[in-house]
């Protein structure tokens, strides 16, 4: 149990339950640790699930058809393996070099990451991208992130020089402008000390509350930076990043997509869009290779 859950009482339990139930895949395997420096050696072995599916292969060299490696960035309460058991093999099967990292770890909390300060997490992403570029020899990467993982890279792009190393950012249900968790965060002011406990013990959660200091800084002066193509893929049934249209970005080089506009009967919510939705996966592939894009429809589920 996280320390703030004990101290925070019923409200914290409610917030945590809502987030875990909709953002955290089951922890089925031990993920590899995020690198702390560009020169960190590649892990001696990769998680069996990832290795058997062909991702996190540091000997992979991008092809002429897909010249940029893809870096997958998990969401809150997730990790580098569980979040990507669907999408990573999907992209590997289409010829991409695919990599994933862990970030935002808290001491003593295994498997469930993305809880540390988001500025620090963006620094971890920066180091990891440098490692992938060094291993593959590519000049740029494409980033695909789910939930926090679709928003956090924007800090890297805007403040840490990432725009020089990233061609495209694709966000699956990203909380680009924060969330109220269906209004639950509006209860925080009614619990004295609650916001301080949340910030001190799980800053990665506090940073994602709509109106937080982190999000105010991130979105000041515009949502995008020049030279990067942005795609946001959202679902009307998102019950975590609410309202769902708050996920959308504005600015040059942005494409905002609602899944139900592509397939009206798609019922994916916040978790499914990143974990199992092949219609969303097809749209990710289109965003990574717009020159070869094909229409995304309900039939894309079998593509």
């Amino acid at each position: 149990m996280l320390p703030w859950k004990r101290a925070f009482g019923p409200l914290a339990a409610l917030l945590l339950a809502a987030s875990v139930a909709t953002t955290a895949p089951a922890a089925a395997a031990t993920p590899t640790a995020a690198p702390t420096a560009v020169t960190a050696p590649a892990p001696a072995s990769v998680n069996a699930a990832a290795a058997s599916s062909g991702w996190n292969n540091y000997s992979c060299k991008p092809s002429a058809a897909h010249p940029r490696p893809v870096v997958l960035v998990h969401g809150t309460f997730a990790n580098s393996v569980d979040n990507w058991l669907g999408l990573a093999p999907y992209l590997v099967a289409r010829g991409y070099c695919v990599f994933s990292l862990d970030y935002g770890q808290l001491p003593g909390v295994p498997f469930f990451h993305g809880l540390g300060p988001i500025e620090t997490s963006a620094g971890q992403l920066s180091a990891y991208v440098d490692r992938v570029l060094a291993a593959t020899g590519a000049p740029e990467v494409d980033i695909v992130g789910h939930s926090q993982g679709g928003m956090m890279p924007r800090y890297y792009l805007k403040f840490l020089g990432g725009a020089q190393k990233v061609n495209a950012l694709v966000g699956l249900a990203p909380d680009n402008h924060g969330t109220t968790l269906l209004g639950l965060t509006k209860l925080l002011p009614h619990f004295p000390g609650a916001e301080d406990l949340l910030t001190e013990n799980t800053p990665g959660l506090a940073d994602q509350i709509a109106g937080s200091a982190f999000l105010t800084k991130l979105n000041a002066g515009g949502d995008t930076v020049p030279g990067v193509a942005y795609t946001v893929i959202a679902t009307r049934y998102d019950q975590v990043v609410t309202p769902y249209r708050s996920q959308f970005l504005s600015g040059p080089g942005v494409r905002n997509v609602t899944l139900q506009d592509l397939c009206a009967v798609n019922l994916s919510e916040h978790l499914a869009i990143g974990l199992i939705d092949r219609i969303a996966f097809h749209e990710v592939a289109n965003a990574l290779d717009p020159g070869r894009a094909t229409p995304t429809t309900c039939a894309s589920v079998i593509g």
Side-chain angles (χ1 to χ4, degrees):
M1 180 180 291
L2 296 178
W4 64 264
K5 186 177 178 184
R6 293 192 297 268
F8 201 45
L11 177 60
L14 188 60
L15 287 169
L16 181 59
S19 299
V20 172
T22 54
T23 64
T30 303
T32 54
T36 57
V38 177
T39 55
S45 62
V46 184
N47 175 269
S52 65
S53 299
W55 96 87
N56 281 343
N57 174 10
Y58 288 87
S59 64
C60 185
K61 299 300 179 184
S63 65
H66 301 303
R68 292 177 300 275
V70 178
V71 173
L72 303 178
V73 186
H74 65 73
T76 309
F77 290 109
N79 61 61
S80 62
V81 175
D82 291 354
N83 208 144
W84 304 119
L85 292 173
L87 182 58
Y90 181 95
L91 294 176
V92 168
R94 283 153 181 78
Y96 289 92
C97 292
V98 179
F99 302 87
S100 60
L101 78 156
D102 287 310
Y103 70 88
Q105 301 92 330
L106 290 181
V109 182
F111 304 118
F112 303 108
H113 303 318
L115 297 171
I118 297 182
E119 290 187 12
T120 301
S121 295
Q124 292 177 284
L125 174 62
S126 176
Y128 191 79
V129 168
D130 285 348
R131 177 182 177 183
V132 169
L133 293 177
T136 61
E140 291 182 311
V141 302
D142 290 325
I143 294 177
V144 179
H146 180 214
S147 194
Q148 180 189 166
M151 173 271 289
M152 176 270 279
R154 293 179 49 227
Y155 190 94
Y156 165 56
L157 298 177
K158 194 169 188 177
F159 298 108
L160 302 181
Q164 307 303 315
K165 302 173 184 179
V166 176
N167 169 71
L169 170 61
V170 183
L172 291 159
D175 52 347
N176 282 314
H177 300 96
T179 179
T180 66
L181 278 175
L182 289 174
L184 292 177
T185 58
K186 293 180 181 179
L187 296 174
L188 289 173
H190 300 287
F191 291 78
E195 289 182 90
D196 290 340
L197 284 169
L198 189 64
T199 300
E200 291 169 6
N201 293 286
T202 54
L205 291 179
D207 285 345
Q208 294 177 76
I209 295 175
S212 71
F214 171 82
L215 287 169
T216 299
K217 176 181 178 180
L218 176 64
N219 293 315
D223 291 344
T224 64
V225 296
V228 178
Y230 295 82
T231 301
V232 174
I233 304 171
T235 171
R236 290 193 178 99
Y237 303 113
D238 199 311
Q239 75 282 51
V240 173
V241 182
T242 55
Y244 80 91
R245 288 189 176 277
S246 69
Q247 301 171 26
F248 293 155
L249 297 172
S250 60
V254 171
R255 182 167 182 260
N256 295 311
V257 179
T258 302
L259 280 181
Q260 287 72 31
D261 290 341
L262 306 176
C263 176
V265 297
N266 188 301
L267 299 178
S268 283
E269 38 62 65
H270 188 79
L271 173 59
I273 193 175
L275 193 62
I276 61 173
D277 190 334
R278 291 177 68 88
I279 295 173
F281 294 176
H282 186 271
E283 196 61 16
V284 168
N286 281 346
L288 295 176
D289 192 359
R292 297 183 177 87
T294 59
T296 301
T297 67
C298 295
S300 299
V301 71
I302 57 174

